[in-house]
Amino acid sequence: MSINLDFDRQHIWHPYTSMLTPLPVYPIVRADGCELELEDGRKLIDGTASWWSAVHGYNHPRLNQAISSQLSQMAHVMFGGITHQPAVALCQQLLKMVPANLSKVFLADSGSIAVEVALKMALQYWQGVGQTQKTRLVSLRKGYHGDTFAAMAVCDPHDSMHSMFSQLLPQHDFLPAPQSAFAGPFDDNDLTPLRDLLRRSANDIAAITLEPIVQGYGGMRFYHPDYLRGVRELCDQYQVLLIADEIATGFGRSGKLFACEHAAITPDIMCLGKALSGGYLTLAATLCSDEIARGISLSAAGGLMHGPTFMANPLACAVALESIRIIAEGHWQQQVAAIEQQLSAELAPCAKLAAVKQVRVLGAIGVLEMRQKVDVAKLQAEFVERGVWIRPFNNLIYIMPPFTISSAQLSRLCWSMYEVASSC
Ligand SMILES: *Cc1c(COP(=O)(O)O)cnc(C)c1O
């Protein structure tokens, strides 16, 4: 029986869409390796890794095996008053990979929730250590941290959903997005607004939340590591916590295992998600240091006040463990380096196209910044015609393919981007 697209259109929300005038959706029946299969049998090379998550590709034998063996033991059990091997083994492996100061793990059920938990950790920490006035949160313009309310409130105030919910959202402080590009020279003026803010108000500020190096949905911007290094130094100097949202960048995407490594810094709190489960199930994590955990335990509540029903879901933990074991084996380093090289070479010609403002590549991320907003539905159809799955938004045509993509497949993606961008 075929997938009922009419029913879908009338009754099912898709991300960021209208129920009355929805964008077209494509029926996918199977995914294998780096290809998605449409219901009519056509195959599409995947340029999205399903929004940064499927880094090892689809239908991966080891990930499948990890889920099925866990399934025969138990699909789920509550985490209140109970623990289980998938959670313990996952966190053991995770702690071997993250910066050494991070020692405590909260397993959340999505990236947005991991950010909510990170903010709670920061606020409860300052309560616990008796600095109850430290409640202000700082983040960057062009930042993106998720769609739930607290996460939304630290996203870019213009490009995000702030305007719609402004009466309901707390008014936090926003710093200008750093202007120094990843590969260019560093302009120290990028740090001036933060210096000024901290000089005036550090006593009231709990934490700075940022995406290290790669500002994703706020514009696919890659900023200079010295900015991140400078933020870390200022946070130390003024006793403000640094929350690194590595949900998109974690596990190799930017060319380092974690994007913080580009600046050789360690955050006080780190959020992981997306690639954590290899794109199989929804799972995220918020990690913090011993010191943060100590402070939280001194707060009035005595514990960290969060506990989702599906916390540490065993199936998700089991597949995440296998996924990060594959990462720990290290092949991603050559894979991402090769992707970066090929993206740089094969997207470079796009820079000459009239509609293209800039071509940017970092790690396994390739971006065409267009001069104007693109027609998503039209471009999407053109990509599907060319046998590739690429989903543009705003003025960005970009890819972040599975690390396992072949060089021939990647060439198809790059060539399609060139063709589609030249028709814009
Ligand atoms: C995707 C993303 C989130 C939100 O994660 P969800 O799992 O979609 O809730 C938060 N921060 C960053 C940087 C992201 O890329």
Side-chain angles (χ1 to χ4, degrees):
M1 216 175 71
S2 68
I3 300 171
N4 188 334
L5 294 179
D6 276 337
F7 180 88
D8 184 285
R9 191 159 42 242
Q10 284 167 33
H11 299 288
I12 311 180
W13 296 106
H14 285 265
Y16 313 109
T17 51
S18 157
M19 204 74 254
L20 297 182
T21 54
L23 294 174
V25 293
Y26 294 84
I28 295 292
V29 291
R30 198 170 293 111
D32 189 74
C34 298
E35 287 184 337
L36 312 180
E37 186 179 329
L38 284 162
E39 196 174 30
D40 64 14
R42 281 181 296 163
K43 296 201 171 142
L44 307 176
I45 298 166
D46 177 34
T48 67
S50 282
W51 280 342
W52 316 82
S53 65
V55 288
H56 310 299
Y58 303 87
N59 197 22
H60 192 287
R62 284 175 60 181
L63 301 183
N64 289 2
Q65 180 57 44
I67 282 214
S68 11
S69 14
Q70 181 53 41
L71 184 56
S72 63
Q73 297 298 309
M74 84 189 142
H76 183 66
V77 65
M78 64 188 282
F79 211 50
I82 286 176
T83 194
H84 47 73
Q85 185 58 17
V88 173
L90 170 63
C91 294
Q92 282 176 327
Q93 178 64 42
L94 206 47
L95 291 182
K96 283 189 215 156
M97 299 167 78
V98 297
N101 68 316
L102 300 173
S103 58
K104 311 283 194 236
V105 190
F106 185 97
L107 293 167
D109 38 13
S110 76
S112 302
I113 301 302
V115 170
E116 301 269 333
V117 168
L119 298 173
K120 263 189 200 179
M121 282 180 177
L123 295 169
Q124 278 197 255
Y125 169 75
W126 291 117
Q127 283 173 18
V129 297
Q131 298 221 45
T132 47
Q133 82 292 352
K134 274 170 105 59
T135 55
R136 277 167 70 179
L137 299 172
V138 178
S139 54
L140 306 190
R141 291 186 185 272
K142 306 289 178 196
Y144 174 78
H145 300 288
D147 294 347
T148 54
F149 268 83
M152 228 175 15
V154 292
C155 293
D156 183 285
H158 296 302
D159 299 347
S160 65
M161 291 166 275
H162 269 259
S163 46
M164 278 166 269
F165 304 112
S166 57
Q167 290 108 325
L168 277 170
L169 290 179
Q171 299 305 305
H172 297 313
D173 295 282
F174 292 95
L175 300 166
Q179 295 304 306
S180 307
F182 181 83
F186 179 62
D187 177 359
D188 190 64
N189 289 322
D190 274 347
L191 286 164
T192 306
L194 178 58
R195 272 193 205 103
D196 291 347
L197 178 67
L198 292 177
R199 214 174 280 139
R200 285 195 314 272
S201 321
N203 265 343
D204 303 329
I205 293 176
I208 297 178
T209 306
L210 50 69
E211 294 155 281
I213 307 297
V214 178
Q215 292 192 295
Y217 290 106
M220 303 298 298
R221 306 171 80 253
F222 309 144
Y223 65 80
H224 201 287
D226 282 356
Y227 179 80
L228 186 53
R229 213 169 288 137
V231 171
R232 176 72 271 184
E233 280 166 17
L234 287 165
C235 283
D236 288 340
Q237 186 184 339
Y238 286 96
Q239 293 206 305
V240 165
L241 301 179
L242 178 58
I243 300 174
D245 178 350
E246 292 253 14
I247 290 168
T249 47
F251 304 107
R253 178 59 66 182
S254 74
K256 301 279 186 190
L257 187 56
F258 300 104
C260 282
E261 290 173 20
H262 287 288
I265 61 121
T266 61
D268 302 294
I269 299 174
M270 180 160 89
C271 301
L272 298 171
K274 294 202 162 104
L276 173 60
S277 69
Y280 268 60
L281 283 168
T282 176
L283 185 71
T286 312
L287 296 102
C288 74
S289 61
D290 286 345
E291 168 58 15
I292 306 289
R294 186 189 67 86
I296 292 168
S297 70
L298 297 172
S299 69
L304 178 64
M305 294 318 275
H306 213 90
T309 306
F310 288 99
M311 186 169 179
N313 172 258
L315 292 176
C317 289
V319 74
L321 171 61
E322 195 61 21
S323 175
I324 67 173
R325 272 188 183 146
I326 296 174
I327 293 287
E329 287 162 12
H331 304 294
W332 67 269
Q333 298 192 41
Q334 294 93 51
Q335 290 167 334
V336 172
I339 292 171
E340 181 172 45
Q341 226 176 19
Q342 195 179 342
L343 285 173
S344 303
E346 296 184 13
L347 291 180
C350 297
K352 299 208 180 70
L353 298 172
V356 175
K357 189 170 164 199
Q358 198 185 36
V359 178
R360 294 192 285 273
V361 172
L362 181 69
I365 313 169
V367 184
L368 307 184
E369 183 180 334
M370 310 299 284
R371 294 188 192 280
Q372 290 180 359
K373 267 196 175 190
V374 300
D375 179 341
V376 174
K378 175 170 164 278
L379 264 59
Q380 186 98 83
E382 291 176 11
F383 281 124
V384 169
E385 263 168 45
R386 286 169 173 77
V388 299
W389 181 246
I390 295 175
R391 188 159 175 82
F393 78 96
N394 281 342
N395 64 334
L396 300 165
I397 302 176
Y398 67 109
I399 55 172
M400 58 298 200
F403 299 165
T404 48
I405 196 159
S406 73
S407 140
Q409 289 172 320
L410 189 55
S411 283
R412 278 278 294 280
L413 292 175
C414 292
W415 180 242
S416 306
M417 287 167 82
Y418 180 85
E419 284 197 333
V420 168
S422 53
S423 73
C424 280

